[in-house]
Amino acid sequence: MDRMVGTVVRGIRAPIVKKGDNIAQIAVDSVLGASKHEGFSLRDRDILAITESVVARSQDNYAGIEDIASDVKNKFNCDTIGLIFPILSRNRFAICLRGIAKSFKKIYLQFSYPSDEVGNSFVTFDALDAAGINPWTDILTEKEFRSHFENTNHIFTGIDYIKYYSDIIRESGAEAEVILANNPVSILKYTDSVLVCDIHTRQRSKRLLKDAGAKTVYGLDDILSSSVNGSGYNEEYGLLGSNKATEDSVKLFPRDCKSLVDKIQKILLDETGKNIEVMVYGDGAFKDPVGKIWELADPVVSPGYTDGLSGTPNELKLKYLADNQFKDLSGDELRAAITRSIENKDGNLKNSMEAQGTTPRRLTDLIGSLCDLTSGSGDKGTPIIYIQGYFDNYSV
């Protein structure tokens, strides 16, 4: 019988992971248990993916707002700071801000507009156009911004983030002054000590600030890049990728993910004889067409993956083949011709017309997005995703 199913994605239920748990063995046992219970067999080049949240939890990779405050205070020897381009998120940034604000007497808070880096909006570009505001050149005070727009609440949460973040700063004992500008250098009109809070553009922001004469520049990736008073930490990403854990603590992005995925891969090979790819995933890399929110608030989709997941897809576009080279064929003859094309395709189709329209993204970004959509971020209880047939094609 001809094969009728391609890629299969399963959300695997697992125990609630706690500090000190052997997350590698939990992942293996959960997949093997699901395989036995649901009646599917493991195969070479299957993919086991595990969400970063349970990895970090098993590592006890947490930090409190006092740890954040201590590290920030040690890095900035001043009372006044500029804080630029925070994303608009109660889960991602508000707790971090509580710690940061405890270290200063005054904070100049510079928001990008009309939205933050990942698409959370104050207003629309159409509204800016109607108000005659050029977001690339205009620097606005909070009063000027609000004089143009009555409602700047988030479309989904209803939060007024300008007020919310300002209140957090004031509740922490510091003075807050808000500006809205899209050039990182704009903050230097107010202070030469800057904490860069953008995620994917942080290196450019740091460079521009230093080139423009900023005295002290750090990013969120520099805060808690090492342990403070026994806290959790992340050498590469610091506070980036952190999430709210409690009202006064955050869970950081997990550490040592490469060694973890290699360990899981070896255990699976020893127990099943199958070479299974493994990755840790966080946010997917996709965009909401309604809210315009780009999901990726983590610094990367995957902080660790086995070597077989490196690179990008190398696929032919079946529609292109059917509409062009083989437009006069049909039925079994068409299928056979396309199968031969796949079997004989070049190892690098990057500039090939036959590959146009295929997704030009890294495998880990594509697979991680698939995993994030499958597991969700709520109460599904499936922090492990098992994928079969992802690397198969029409000829298999």
Side-chain angles (χ1 to χ4, degrees):
M1 179 181 290
D2 288 341
R3 178 174 173 179
M4 299 297 291
V5 176
T7 300
V8 175
V9 185
R10 294 180 174 90
I12 307 297
R13 291 189 175 180
I16 302 299
V17 175
K18 303 292 286 184
K19 168 188 173 181
D21 285 349
N22 186 338
I23 192 62
Q25 197 61 55
I26 288 175
V28 170
D29 291 345
S30 297
V31 168
L32 294 180
S35 170
K36 181 178 180 180
H37 189 271
E38 301 296 330
F40 64 90
S41 300
L42 277 59
R43 302 194 294 258
D44 285 327
R45 295 226 78 189
D46 287 353
I47 304 168
L48 186 161
I50 180 168
T51 182
E52 59 84 19
S53 177
V54 297
V55 176
R57 194 182 307 146
S58 71
Q59 296 173 342
D60 192 28
N61 204 20
Y62 291 82
I65 59 174
E66 295 297 337
D67 302 318
I68 296 171
S70 178
D71 200 20
V72 170
K73 192 173 184 65
N74 287 336
K75 287 184 165 67
F76 289 92
N77 185 26
C78 58
D79 293 329
T80 300
I81 190 177
L83 192 156
I84 70 168
F85 302 156
I87 65 170
L88 311 182
S89 172
R90 292 168 294 177
N91 177 46
R92 290 287 188 171
F93 188 72
I95 301 298
C96 296
L97 181 58
R98 292 187 193 281
I100 293 165
K102 290 171 70 71
S103 301
F104 302 99
K105 293 182 179 179
K106 182 166 185 177
I107 292 179
Y108 290 98
L109 184 58
Q110 178 177 326
F111 291 99
S112 58
Y113 75 98
S115 69
D116 69 7
E117 179 186 8
V118 294
N120 295 291
S121 296
F122 293 115
V123 294
T124 65
F125 274 103
D126 289 335
L128 292 181
D129 293 341
I133 295 172
N134 183 340
W136 314 119
T137 59
D138 293 347
I139 303 171
L140 304 173
T141 65
E142 178 181 357
K143 182 178 180 180
E144 289 169 336
F145 192 70
R146 292 191 184 280
S147 71
H148 291 286
F149 311 107
E150 289 186 10
N151 182 9
T152 60
N153 294 356
H154 191 278
I155 184 174
F156 288 133
T157 66
I159 300 294
D160 181 336
Y161 277 97
I162 296 175
K163 181 179 185 301
Y164 180 49
Y165 283 0
S166 297
D167 286 347
I168 288 175
I169 292 170
R170 294 179 182 119
E171 289 165 5
S172 299
E175 181 184 351
E177 184 172 336
V178 169
I179 64 169
L180 295 102
N182 288 313
N183 187 340
V185 174
S186 299
I187 196 68
L188 297 183
K189 178 181 177 182
Y190 305 89
T191 177
D192 59 5
S193 296
V194 185
L195 179 59
V196 172
C197 299
D198 42 333
I199 305 164
H200 307 293
T201 55
R202 63 188 183 276
Q203 300 301 344
R204 177 176 183 267
S205 293
K206 290 181 186 180
R207 173 176 54 81
L208 290 174
L209 286 163
K210 291 175 182 178
D211 289 348
K215 178 182 176 182
T216 306
V217 178
Y218 288 101
L220 288 181
D221 53 328
D222 301 309
I223 309 303
L224 291 184
S225 57
S226 59
S227 180
V228 175
N229 302 320
S231 73
Y233 64 96
N234 189 294
E235 307 96 321
E236 186 172 4
Y237 299 118
L239 281 177
L240 293 180
S242 63
N243 296 86
K244 177 181 178 179
T246 68
E247 292 303 321
D248 58 3
S249 68
V250 294
K251 177 197 65 59
L252 301 172
F253 218 40
R255 308 187 303 267
D256 305 321
C257 291
K258 176 59 175 171
S259 61
L260 172 64
V261 297
D262 288 342
K263 180 179 180 180
I264 293 173
Q265 185 178 57
K266 184 179 186 305
I267 295 173
L268 285 167
L269 180 62
D270 291 343
E271 295 199 17
T272 69
K274 304 300 181 182
N275 184 32
I276 295 167
E277 305 296 347
V278 184
M279 67 181 288
V280 176
Y281 71 95
D283 280 343
F286 45 83
K287 187 174 183 178
D288 167 30
V290 176
K292 312 301 181 185
I293 298 168
W294 184 36
E295 174 69 9
L296 189 54
D298 287 328
V300 290
V301 172
S302 175
Y305 48 90
T306 49
D307 294 341
L309 296 178
S310 296
T312 58
N314 189 58
E315 300 173 336
L316 293 171
K317 190 74 169 180
L318 298 191
K319 181 178 71 172
Y320 182 87
L321 295 177
D323 289 345
N324 290 273
Q325 285 95 319
F326 308 125
K327 62 182 179 181
D328 296 325
L329 303 181
S330 62
D332 290 343
E333 192 176 8
L334 174 60
R335 177 174 180 173
I338 288 180
T339 297
R340 286 193 299 272
S341 294
I342 295 172
E343 292 172 341
N344 296 311
K345 68 183 176 182
D346 191 273
N348 184 356
L349 295 168
K350 184 175 181 180
N351 296 316
S352 170
M353 289 296 292
E354 289 85 354
Q356 66 176 338
T358 56
T359 306
R361 285 197 278 165
R362 295 188 303 178
L363 287 167
T364 51
D365 293 338
L366 291 164
I367 297 167
S369 298
L370 175 62
C371 293
D372 189 27
L373 286 168
T374 302
S375 62
S377 59
D379 58 7
K380 288 185 173 62
T382 56
I384 299 164
I385 306 298
Y386 199 74
I387 304 172
Q388 297 189 293
Y390 189 86
F391 294 105
D392 295 347
N393 57 47
Y394 190 68
S395 70
V396 178

